[in-house]
Short mmCIF file of all heavy atoms in Angstrom, two decimals:
data_model
loop_
_atom_site.label_atom_id
_atom_site.label_comp_id
_atom_site.label_asym_id
_atom_site.label_seq_id
_atom_site.Cartn_x
_atom_site.Cartn_y
_atom_site.Cartn_z
N LEU H 1297 35.16 -0.78 -49.19
CA LEU H 1297 36.28 -0.58 -48.29
C LEU H 1297 35.78 -0.37 -46.82
O LEU H 1297 36.27 -0.92 -45.92
CB LEU H 1297 37.16 0.55 -48.76
CG LEU H 1297 38.32 0.92 -47.85
CD1 LEU H 1297 39.36 -0.23 -47.93
CD2 LEU H 1297 38.99 2.14 -48.30
N GLU H 1298 34.73 0.47 -46.73
CA GLU H 1298 34.19 0.79 -45.40
C GLU H 1298 33.60 -0.48 -44.76
O GLU H 1298 33.71 -0.60 -43.58
CB GLU H 1298 33.14 1.88 -45.46
CG GLU H 1298 33.72 3.22 -45.89
CD GLU H 1298 32.69 4.26 -46.12
OE1 GLU H 1298 31.52 4.01 -45.95
OE2 GLU H 1298 33.01 5.37 -46.60
N LYS H 1299 32.93 -1.33 -45.57
CA LYS H 1299 32.30 -2.59 -45.04
C LYS H 1299 33.36 -3.47 -44.49
O LYS H 1299 33.20 -4.07 -43.45
CB LYS H 1299 31.58 -3.17 -46.17
CG LYS H 1299 30.82 -4.44 -45.70
CD LYS H 1299 29.98 -5.03 -46.80
CE LYS H 1299 29.24 -6.25 -46.32
NZ LYS H 1299 28.48 -6.94 -47.40
N GLY H 1300 34.55 -3.47 -45.19
CA GLY H 1300 35.62 -4.36 -44.72
C GLY H 1300 36.27 -3.89 -43.44
O GLY H 1300 36.62 -4.71 -42.54
N VAL H 1301 36.34 -2.58 -43.28
CA VAL H 1301 36.90 -1.99 -42.00
C VAL H 1301 36.00 -2.25 -40.85
O VAL H 1301 36.38 -2.64 -39.75
CB VAL H 1301 37.15 -0.50 -42.21
CG1 VAL H 1301 37.58 0.15 -40.91
CG2 VAL H 1301 38.31 -0.25 -43.24
N VAL H 1302 34.66 -2.01 -41.09
CA VAL H 1302 33.68 -2.26 -40.00
C VAL H 1302 33.65 -3.70 -39.56
O VAL H 1302 33.73 -4.06 -38.43
CB VAL H 1302 32.29 -1.79 -40.41
CG1 VAL H 1302 31.22 -2.15 -39.42
CG2 VAL H 1302 32.30 -0.28 -40.62
N SER H 1303 33.69 -4.63 -40.55
CA SER H 1303 33.71 -6.09 -40.19
C SER H 1303 34.96 -6.44 -39.52
O SER H 1303 34.95 -7.32 -38.60
CB SER H 1303 33.40 -6.92 -41.41
OG SER H 1303 34.48 -6.82 -42.32
N SER H 1304 36.11 -5.89 -39.95
CA SER H 1304 37.34 -6.18 -39.19
C SER H 1304 37.32 -5.69 -37.73
O SER H 1304 37.80 -6.41 -36.87
CB SER H 1304 38.53 -5.46 -39.90
OG SER H 1304 38.69 -6.06 -41.16
N ILE H 1305 36.74 -4.56 -37.50
CA ILE H 1305 36.62 -3.98 -36.09
C ILE H 1305 35.70 -4.88 -35.32
O ILE H 1305 36.02 -5.28 -34.17
CB ILE H 1305 36.18 -2.58 -36.18
CG1 ILE H 1305 37.25 -1.67 -36.71
CG2 ILE H 1305 35.76 -2.11 -34.77
CD1 ILE H 1305 36.84 -0.24 -36.94
N ILE H 1306 34.60 -5.38 -35.95
CA ILE H 1306 33.68 -6.22 -35.20
C ILE H 1306 34.33 -7.59 -34.89
O ILE H 1306 34.26 -8.09 -33.72
CB ILE H 1306 32.38 -6.43 -36.04
CG1 ILE H 1306 31.63 -5.15 -36.08
CG2 ILE H 1306 31.54 -7.54 -35.48
CD1 ILE H 1306 30.41 -5.17 -37.03
N TYR H 1307 35.05 -8.23 -35.89
CA TYR H 1307 35.69 -9.42 -35.58
C TYR H 1307 36.82 -9.27 -34.59
O TYR H 1307 37.03 -10.17 -33.75
CB TYR H 1307 36.24 -10.01 -36.88
CG TYR H 1307 35.20 -10.65 -37.73
CD1 TYR H 1307 35.10 -10.30 -39.14
CD2 TYR H 1307 34.27 -11.53 -37.24
CE1 TYR H 1307 34.18 -10.95 -39.90
CE2 TYR H 1307 33.30 -12.19 -38.07
CZ TYR H 1307 33.28 -11.82 -39.33
OH TYR H 1307 32.30 -12.43 -40.18
N ALA H 1308 37.47 -8.18 -34.59
CA ALA H 1308 38.55 -7.97 -33.57
C ALA H 1308 37.93 -7.83 -32.23
O ALA H 1308 38.50 -8.37 -31.27
CB ALA H 1308 39.31 -6.64 -33.94
N ALA H 1309 36.84 -7.11 -32.10
CA ALA H 1309 36.19 -6.99 -30.84
C ALA H 1309 35.67 -8.32 -30.29
O ALA H 1309 35.84 -8.65 -29.08
CB ALA H 1309 35.00 -5.98 -30.87
N ILE H 1310 35.13 -9.12 -31.25
CA ILE H 1310 34.62 -10.48 -30.81
C ILE H 1310 35.84 -11.30 -30.37
O ILE H 1310 35.81 -12.04 -29.32
CB ILE H 1310 33.86 -11.13 -32.01
CG1 ILE H 1310 32.58 -10.41 -32.14
CG2 ILE H 1310 33.67 -12.58 -31.74
CD1 ILE H 1310 31.91 -10.85 -33.48
N GLY H 1311 36.94 -11.25 -31.09
CA GLY H 1311 38.09 -12.07 -30.73
C GLY H 1311 38.74 -11.61 -29.39
O GLY H 1311 39.10 -12.49 -28.54
N ILE H 1312 38.73 -10.34 -29.10
CA ILE H 1312 39.29 -9.87 -27.85
C ILE H 1312 38.36 -10.26 -26.67
O ILE H 1312 38.86 -10.74 -25.70
CB ILE H 1312 39.48 -8.26 -27.88
CG1 ILE H 1312 40.58 -7.92 -28.79
CG2 ILE H 1312 39.72 -7.78 -26.50
CD1 ILE H 1312 40.64 -6.47 -29.08
N LEU H 1313 37.03 -10.16 -26.88
CA LEU H 1313 36.10 -10.61 -25.83
C LEU H 1313 36.22 -12.04 -25.57
O LEU H 1313 36.17 -12.50 -24.41
CB LEU H 1313 34.72 -10.20 -26.18
CG LEU H 1313 34.34 -8.67 -26.14
CD1 LEU H 1313 32.93 -8.44 -26.72
CD2 LEU H 1313 34.43 -8.16 -24.71
N MET H 1314 36.29 -12.82 -26.66
CA MET H 1314 36.44 -14.26 -26.43
C MET H 1314 37.72 -14.66 -25.73
O MET H 1314 37.70 -15.60 -24.91
CB MET H 1314 36.30 -15.04 -27.80
CG MET H 1314 34.93 -14.96 -28.35
SD MET H 1314 34.81 -15.70 -29.99
CE MET H 1314 35.05 -17.43 -29.53
N SER H 1315 38.79 -14.00 -26.05
CA SER H 1315 40.05 -14.33 -25.43
C SER H 1315 40.06 -13.91 -23.93
O SER H 1315 40.67 -14.68 -23.08
CB SER H 1315 41.29 -13.74 -26.12
OG SER H 1315 41.18 -12.34 -26.10
N VAL H 1316 39.52 -12.82 -23.58
CA VAL H 1316 39.40 -12.41 -22.16
C VAL H 1316 38.50 -13.36 -21.43
O VAL H 1316 38.81 -13.80 -20.31
CB VAL H 1316 38.88 -10.95 -22.11
CG1 VAL H 1316 38.53 -10.57 -20.69
CG2 VAL H 1316 39.99 -10.06 -22.63
N LEU H 1317 37.39 -13.75 -22.03
CA LEU H 1317 36.44 -14.67 -21.37
C LEU H 1317 37.05 -16.06 -21.14
O LEU H 1317 36.99 -16.62 -20.10
CB LEU H 1317 35.12 -14.79 -22.23
CG LEU H 1317 34.12 -15.76 -21.67
CD1 LEU H 1317 33.55 -15.14 -20.34
CD2 LEU H 1317 32.99 -15.91 -22.71
N SER H 1318 37.85 -16.46 -22.23
CA SER H 1318 38.46 -17.79 -22.01
C SER H 1318 39.60 -17.74 -20.95
O SER H 1318 39.77 -18.66 -20.21
CB SER H 1318 39.04 -18.33 -23.33
OG SER H 1318 39.96 -17.37 -23.88
N PHE H 1319 40.30 -16.61 -20.79
CA PHE H 1319 41.31 -16.46 -19.76
C PHE H 1319 40.65 -16.53 -18.45
O PHE H 1319 41.14 -17.12 -17.43
CB PHE H 1319 42.06 -15.17 -19.91
CG PHE H 1319 43.07 -14.94 -18.78
CD1 PHE H 1319 44.29 -15.63 -18.82
CD2 PHE H 1319 42.78 -14.06 -17.82
CE1 PHE H 1319 45.24 -15.44 -17.85
CE2 PHE H 1319 43.68 -13.87 -16.78
CZ PHE H 1319 44.89 -14.58 -16.73
N LYS H 1320 39.48 -15.87 -18.23
CA LYS H 1320 38.74 -15.85 -17.04
C LYS H 1320 38.25 -17.30 -16.63
O LYS H 1320 38.28 -17.69 -15.48
CB LYS H 1320 37.54 -14.95 -17.00
CG LYS H 1320 37.89 -13.49 -17.17
CD LYS H 1320 38.66 -12.97 -15.95
CE LYS H 1320 38.95 -11.51 -16.07
NZ LYS H 1320 39.69 -11.00 -14.88
N ILE H 1321 37.82 -18.02 -17.70
CA ILE H 1321 37.37 -19.37 -17.47
C ILE H 1321 38.54 -20.33 -16.96
O ILE H 1321 38.39 -21.04 -16.05
CB ILE H 1321 36.74 -19.98 -18.68
CG1 ILE H 1321 35.34 -19.27 -18.93
CG2 ILE H 1321 36.43 -21.48 -18.57
CD1 ILE H 1321 34.68 -19.60 -20.22
N VAL H 1322 39.64 -20.16 -17.65
CA VAL H 1322 40.83 -20.94 -17.25
C VAL H 1322 41.29 -20.49 -15.89
O VAL H 1322 41.70 -21.38 -15.10
CB VAL H 1322 42.03 -20.78 -18.23
CG1 VAL H 1322 43.23 -21.33 -17.75
CG2 VAL H 1322 41.57 -21.36 -19.63
N ASP H 1323 41.17 -19.21 -15.56
CA ASP H 1323 41.54 -18.69 -14.22
C ASP H 1323 40.69 -19.32 -13.15
O ASP H 1323 41.15 -19.63 -12.03
CB ASP H 1323 41.46 -17.20 -14.16
CG ASP H 1323 42.13 -16.65 -12.96
OD1 ASP H 1323 42.98 -17.32 -12.29
OD2 ASP H 1323 41.88 -15.43 -12.67
N LEU H 1324 39.39 -19.61 -13.46
CA LEU H 1324 38.53 -20.22 -12.50
C LEU H 1324 38.76 -21.71 -12.36
O LEU H 1324 38.63 -22.26 -11.22
CB LEU H 1324 37.02 -20.04 -12.90
CG LEU H 1324 36.46 -18.64 -12.79
CD1 LEU H 1324 35.13 -18.53 -13.42
CD2 LEU H 1324 36.53 -18.12 -11.37
N ILE H 1325 39.17 -22.35 -13.43
CA ILE H 1325 39.40 -23.78 -13.43
C ILE H 1325 40.72 -24.21 -12.67
O ILE H 1325 40.78 -25.08 -11.90
CB ILE H 1325 39.44 -24.37 -14.90
CG1 ILE H 1325 38.07 -24.22 -15.49
CG2 ILE H 1325 39.93 -25.79 -14.86
CD1 ILE H 1325 38.01 -24.59 -16.94
N ILE H 1326 41.79 -23.40 -12.96
CA ILE H 1326 43.09 -23.71 -12.37
C ILE H 1326 43.05 -23.32 -10.93
O ILE H 1326 42.50 -22.26 -10.52
CB ILE H 1326 44.17 -22.94 -13.06
CG1 ILE H 1326 44.24 -23.46 -14.55
CG2 ILE H 1326 45.48 -23.00 -12.43
CD1 ILE H 1326 45.27 -22.74 -15.43
N PRO H 1327 43.60 -24.19 -9.99
CA PRO H 1327 43.69 -23.83 -8.58
C PRO H 1327 44.58 -22.55 -8.42
O PRO H 1327 45.60 -22.41 -9.02
CB PRO H 1327 44.28 -25.06 -7.92
CG PRO H 1327 44.61 -26.00 -8.93
CD PRO H 1327 44.11 -25.56 -10.25
N GLY H 1328 44.15 -21.73 -7.52
CA GLY H 1328 44.83 -20.46 -7.38
C GLY H 1328 44.41 -19.45 -8.41
O GLY H 1328 43.63 -19.79 -9.27
N ARG H 1329 44.83 -18.25 -8.25
CA ARG H 1329 44.42 -17.14 -9.17
C ARG H 1329 45.61 -16.75 -10.03
O ARG H 1329 46.65 -16.30 -9.54
CB ARG H 1329 43.91 -16.00 -8.36
CG ARG H 1329 42.58 -16.20 -7.72
CD ARG H 1329 41.52 -16.19 -8.76
NE ARG H 1329 40.22 -16.39 -8.21
CZ ARG H 1329 39.43 -17.31 -8.63
NH1 ARG H 1329 39.69 -18.09 -9.65
NH2 ARG H 1329 38.20 -17.45 -8.13
N LEU H 1330 45.48 -16.92 -11.36
CA LEU H 1330 46.51 -16.47 -12.21
C LEU H 1330 46.80 -14.94 -12.14
O LEU H 1330 47.94 -14.50 -12.12
CB LEU H 1330 46.22 -16.80 -13.65
CG LEU H 1330 46.18 -18.28 -14.02
CD1 LEU H 1330 45.71 -18.53 -15.45
CD2 LEU H 1330 47.53 -18.85 -13.82
N ALA H 1331 45.76 -14.17 -12.14
CA ALA H 1331 45.91 -12.71 -12.13
C ALA H 1331 46.63 -12.29 -10.83
O ALA H 1331 47.46 -11.37 -10.87
CB ALA H 1331 44.55 -11.99 -12.26
N LYS H 1332 46.25 -12.88 -9.74
CA LYS H 1332 46.91 -12.56 -8.41
C LYS H 1332 48.39 -12.92 -8.53
O LYS H 1332 49.25 -12.22 -8.06
CB LYS H 1332 46.24 -13.26 -7.25
CG LYS H 1332 46.89 -12.90 -6.00
CD LYS H 1332 46.27 -13.79 -4.80
CE LYS H 1332 46.98 -13.57 -3.51
NZ LYS H 1332 48.32 -14.00 -3.45
N GLN H 1333 48.70 -14.10 -8.98
CA GLN H 1333 50.05 -14.54 -9.11
C GLN H 1333 50.92 -13.66 -9.96
O GLN H 1333 52.05 -13.41 -9.68
CB GLN H 1333 50.17 -15.99 -9.71
CG GLN H 1333 49.65 -17.05 -8.72
CD GLN H 1333 50.67 -17.31 -7.65
OE1 GLN H 1333 51.84 -17.26 -7.89
NE2 GLN H 1333 50.19 -17.52 -6.49
N ILE H 1334 50.33 -13.12 -11.03
CA ILE H 1334 51.07 -12.25 -11.89
C ILE H 1334 51.22 -10.89 -11.43
O ILE H 1334 52.33 -10.31 -11.38
CB ILE H 1334 50.40 -12.29 -13.38
CG1 ILE H 1334 50.44 -13.67 -13.95
CG2 ILE H 1334 51.00 -11.20 -14.26
CD1 ILE H 1334 49.62 -13.84 -15.22
N ALA H 1335 50.05 -10.32 -10.98
CA ALA H 1335 50.10 -8.91 -10.64
C ALA H 1335 50.68 -8.69 -9.18
O ALA H 1335 51.62 -7.80 -9.04
CB ALA H 1335 48.70 -8.33 -10.55
N GLU H 1336 50.24 -9.44 -8.17
CA GLU H 1336 50.71 -9.13 -6.83
C GLU H 1336 51.96 -9.83 -6.46
O GLU H 1336 52.91 -9.23 -5.91
CB GLU H 1336 49.59 -9.48 -5.83
CG GLU H 1336 48.35 -8.64 -6.00
CD GLU H 1336 47.27 -9.12 -5.09
OE1 GLU H 1336 47.49 -9.97 -4.17
OE2 GLU H 1336 46.08 -8.63 -5.23
N ASP H 1337 52.08 -11.15 -6.80
CA ASP H 1337 53.21 -11.96 -6.45
C ASP H 1337 54.42 -11.79 -7.46
O ASP H 1337 55.51 -12.30 -7.21
CB ASP H 1337 52.83 -13.42 -6.28
CG ASP H 1337 51.84 -13.61 -5.21
OD1 ASP H 1337 51.70 -12.72 -4.38
OD2 ASP H 1337 51.17 -14.68 -5.23
N ARG H 1338 54.18 -11.22 -8.67
CA ARG H 1338 55.13 -11.04 -9.64
C ARG H 1338 55.83 -12.32 -10.06
O ARG H 1338 57.00 -12.46 -10.22
CB ARG H 1338 56.26 -10.04 -9.22
CG ARG H 1338 55.70 -8.74 -8.69
CD ARG H 1338 55.82 -7.73 -9.80
NE ARG H 1338 55.42 -6.45 -9.29
CZ ARG H 1338 54.72 -5.56 -10.04
NH1 ARG H 1338 54.42 -5.85 -11.30
NH2 ARG H 1338 54.42 -4.39 -9.52
N ASN H 1339 54.99 -13.38 -10.25
CA ASN H 1339 55.57 -14.70 -10.63
C ASN H 1339 55.71 -14.67 -12.11
O ASN H 1339 54.64 -14.79 -12.93
CB ASN H 1339 54.50 -15.76 -10.19
CG ASN H 1339 55.01 -17.11 -10.27
OD1 ASN H 1339 55.96 -17.42 -11.05
ND2 ASN H 1339 54.42 -18.03 -9.47
N VAL H 1340 56.94 -14.70 -12.59
CA VAL H 1340 57.27 -14.62 -13.96
C VAL H 1340 56.89 -15.92 -14.70
O VAL H 1340 56.48 -15.92 -15.86
CB VAL H 1340 58.84 -14.31 -14.16
CG1 VAL H 1340 59.15 -14.30 -15.61
CG2 VAL H 1340 59.09 -12.96 -13.58
N ALA H 1341 57.09 -17.04 -14.05
CA ALA H 1341 56.77 -18.33 -14.68
C ALA H 1341 55.28 -18.41 -14.97
O ALA H 1341 54.96 -18.92 -16.04
CB ALA H 1341 57.22 -19.45 -13.79
N VAL H 1342 54.41 -18.01 -14.08
CA VAL H 1342 53.00 -18.04 -14.34
C VAL H 1342 52.62 -17.03 -15.42
O VAL H 1342 51.79 -17.35 -16.28
CB VAL H 1342 52.19 -17.73 -13.01
CG1 VAL H 1342 50.80 -17.57 -13.30
CG2 VAL H 1342 52.47 -18.78 -12.00
N ALA H 1343 53.34 -15.94 -15.49
CA ALA H 1343 53.08 -14.95 -16.56
C ALA H 1343 53.34 -15.52 -17.91
O ALA H 1343 52.69 -15.36 -18.93
CB ALA H 1343 53.82 -13.65 -16.29
N ILE H 1344 54.51 -16.29 -18.02
CA ILE H 1344 54.88 -16.90 -19.32
C ILE H 1344 53.89 -17.92 -19.70
O ILE H 1344 53.47 -18.01 -20.88
CB ILE H 1344 56.34 -17.46 -19.17
CG1 ILE H 1344 57.29 -16.34 -19.06
CG2 ILE H 1344 56.64 -18.33 -20.41
CD1 ILE H 1344 58.72 -16.76 -18.74
N VAL H 1345 53.50 -18.75 -18.73
CA VAL H 1345 52.47 -19.76 -19.02
C VAL H 1345 51.16 -19.15 -19.42
O VAL H 1345 50.50 -19.63 -20.43
CB VAL H 1345 52.33 -20.77 -17.86
CG1 VAL H 1345 51.17 -21.68 -18.06
CG2 VAL H 1345 53.58 -21.57 -17.68
N ALA H 1346 50.74 -18.18 -18.77
CA ALA H 1346 49.48 -17.39 -19.13
C ALA H 1346 49.53 -16.80 -20.43
O ALA H 1346 48.61 -16.81 -21.26
CB ALA H 1346 49.10 -16.40 -18.00
N GLY H 1347 50.67 -16.27 -20.81
CA GLY H 1347 50.86 -15.60 -22.07
C GLY H 1347 50.84 -16.63 -23.23
O GLY H 1347 50.14 -16.43 -24.27
N ALA H 1348 51.36 -17.77 -22.99
CA ALA H 1348 51.36 -18.83 -23.98
C ALA H 1348 49.96 -19.39 -24.11
O ALA H 1348 49.53 -19.69 -25.23
CB ALA H 1348 52.30 -19.98 -23.59
N LEU H 1349 49.26 -19.49 -23.03
CA LEU H 1349 47.87 -19.91 -23.05
C LEU H 1349 46.95 -18.94 -23.84
O LEU H 1349 46.19 -19.37 -24.66
CB LEU H 1349 47.34 -20.03 -21.62
CG LEU H 1349 45.89 -20.39 -21.45
CD1 LEU H 1349 45.71 -21.82 -21.69
CD2 LEU H 1349 45.35 -20.07 -20.08
N ILE H 1350 47.15 -17.64 -23.60
CA ILE H 1350 46.41 -16.66 -24.29
C ILE H 1350 46.70 -16.65 -25.78
O ILE H 1350 45.82 -16.57 -26.65
CB ILE H 1350 46.62 -15.24 -23.68
CG1 ILE H 1350 46.04 -15.14 -22.28
CG2 ILE H 1350 46.08 -14.18 -24.60
CD1 ILE H 1350 46.42 -13.92 -21.54
N LEU H 1351 47.98 -16.83 -26.16
CA LEU H 1351 48.35 -16.87 -27.58
C LEU H 1351 47.75 -18.18 -28.24
O LEU H 1351 47.23 -18.04 -29.33
CB LEU H 1351 49.89 -16.95 -27.71
CG LEU H 1351 50.60 -15.62 -27.57
CD1 LEU H 1351 52.09 -15.80 -27.63
CD2 LEU H 1351 50.19 -14.67 -28.69
N GLY H 1352 47.70 -19.24 -27.58
CA GLY H 1352 47.16 -20.43 -28.14
C GLY H 1352 45.64 -20.25 -28.30
O GLY H 1352 45.08 -20.67 -29.40
N ILE H 1353 45.00 -19.67 -27.35
CA ILE H 1353 43.52 -19.44 -27.49
C ILE H 1353 43.24 -18.55 -28.54
O ILE H 1353 42.28 -18.67 -29.32
CB ILE H 1353 43.00 -18.97 -26.15
CG1 ILE H 1353 43.02 -20.11 -25.05
CG2 ILE H 1353 41.61 -18.45 -26.25
CD1 ILE H 1353 42.68 -19.67 -23.66
N CYS H 1354 44.08 -17.42 -28.72
CA CYS H 1354 43.91 -16.43 -29.73
C CYS H 1354 44.06 -17.01 -31.14
O CYS H 1354 43.40 -16.65 -32.09
CB CYS H 1354 44.73 -15.24 -29.53
SG CYS H 1354 44.25 -14.22 -28.14
N ILE H 1355 44.98 -17.94 -31.23
CA ILE H 1355 45.21 -18.61 -32.56
C ILE H 1355 43.94 -19.37 -32.92
O ILE H 1355 43.54 -19.41 -34.08
CB ILE H 1355 46.52 -19.47 -32.56
CG1 ILE H 1355 47.77 -18.57 -32.53
CG2 ILE H 1355 46.56 -20.41 -33.73
CD1 ILE H 1355 49.00 -19.29 -32.19
N ILE H 1356 43.41 -20.14 -31.96
CA ILE H 1356 42.25 -20.94 -32.22
C ILE H 1356 41.06 -19.99 -32.61
O ILE H 1356 40.31 -20.28 -33.52
CB ILE H 1356 41.90 -21.78 -31.05
CG1 ILE H 1356 43.03 -22.82 -30.76
CG2 ILE H 1356 40.52 -22.49 -31.18
CD1 ILE H 1356 42.89 -23.64 -29.46
N ILE H 1357 40.90 -18.90 -31.90
CA ILE H 1357 39.80 -18.04 -32.12
C ILE H 1357 39.94 -17.36 -33.56
O ILE H 1357 39.04 -17.30 -34.30
CB ILE H 1357 39.73 -16.86 -31.04
CG1 ILE H 1357 39.25 -17.51 -29.73
CG2 ILE H 1357 38.76 -15.76 -31.48
CD1 ILE H 1357 39.43 -16.54 -28.54
N ALA H 1358 41.16 -16.99 -33.89
CA ALA H 1358 41.45 -16.35 -35.21
C ALA H 1358 41.16 -17.37 -36.34
O ALA H 1358 40.50 -16.99 -37.33
CB ALA H 1358 42.91 -15.88 -35.28
N ALA H 1359 41.55 -18.69 -36.10
CA ALA H 1359 41.23 -19.65 -37.13
C ALA H 1359 39.75 -19.90 -37.31
O ALA H 1359 39.31 -20.06 -38.38
CB ALA H 1359 41.98 -20.96 -36.79
N SER H 1360 39.00 -19.87 -36.15
CA SER H 1360 37.61 -20.11 -36.26
C SER H 1360 36.86 -18.91 -36.85
O SER H 1360 35.93 -19.08 -37.65
CB SER H 1360 37.02 -20.44 -34.90
OG SER H 1360 37.16 -19.30 -34.06
N ILE H 1361 37.35 -17.70 -36.66
CA ILE H 1361 36.74 -16.56 -37.30
C ILE H 1361 37.09 -16.47 -38.79
O ILE H 1361 36.23 -16.18 -39.59
CB ILE H 1361 37.17 -15.25 -36.57
CG1 ILE H 1361 36.53 -15.13 -35.19
CG2 ILE H 1361 36.82 -14.02 -37.37
CD1 ILE H 1361 37.02 -13.99 -34.32
N HIS H 1362 38.31 -16.75 -39.11
CA HIS H 1362 38.72 -16.63 -40.44
C HIS H 1362 38.13 -17.79 -41.34
O HIS H 1362 37.83 -17.60 -42.54
CB HIS H 1362 40.28 -16.76 -40.54
CG HIS H 1362 40.86 -16.58 -41.90
ND1 HIS H 1362 40.22 -15.83 -42.87
CD2 HIS H 1362 42.01 -17.06 -42.42
CE1 HIS H 1362 40.96 -15.88 -43.95
NE2 HIS H 1362 42.08 -16.59 -43.73
N GLY H 1363 37.90 -18.87 -40.72
CA GLY H 1363 37.21 -19.98 -41.43
C GLY H 1363 38.16 -20.84 -42.10
O GLY H 1363 38.47 -21.45 -42.89
#
């Protein structure tokens, strides 16, 4: 049981780090700054697109970790 909990925590940390890294990479590729548009300009449309992008990336990461 303890081994399963530890491995779940490790996989969760890897998944979170990969999703944050992929968001940063997409933020660099797309013209303009997503984080600035969301935080400072309060652009709801960009926030929805970024959320969908993160969910899609997280599904891919989860599928690759799960095997």
Side-chain angles (χ1 to χ4, degrees):
L1297 180 67
E1298 293 173 5
K1299 184 177 179 182
V1301 172
V1302 171
S1303 64
S1304 294
I1305 291 172
I1306 291 171
Y1307 284 130
I1310 290 171
I1312 291 169
L1313 288 175
M1314 289 177 67
S1315 62
V1316 169
L1317 180 66
S1318 60
F1319 178 78
K1320 294 294 184 183
I1321 290 171
V1322 170
D1323 194 19
L1324 291 173
I1325 293 172
I1326 293 177
R1329 291 285 181 231
L1330 291 176
K1332 179 188 176 295
Q1333 286 287 322
I1334 295 170
E1336 294 176 11
D1337 298 341
R1338 305 265 185 215
N1339 192 336
V1340 176
V1342 173
I1344 292 170
V1345 170
L1349 175 78
I1350 290 171
L1351 282 174
I1353 290 170
C1354 288
I1355 289 170
I1356 294 170
I1357 291 169
S1360 67
I1361 288 175
H1362 184 28

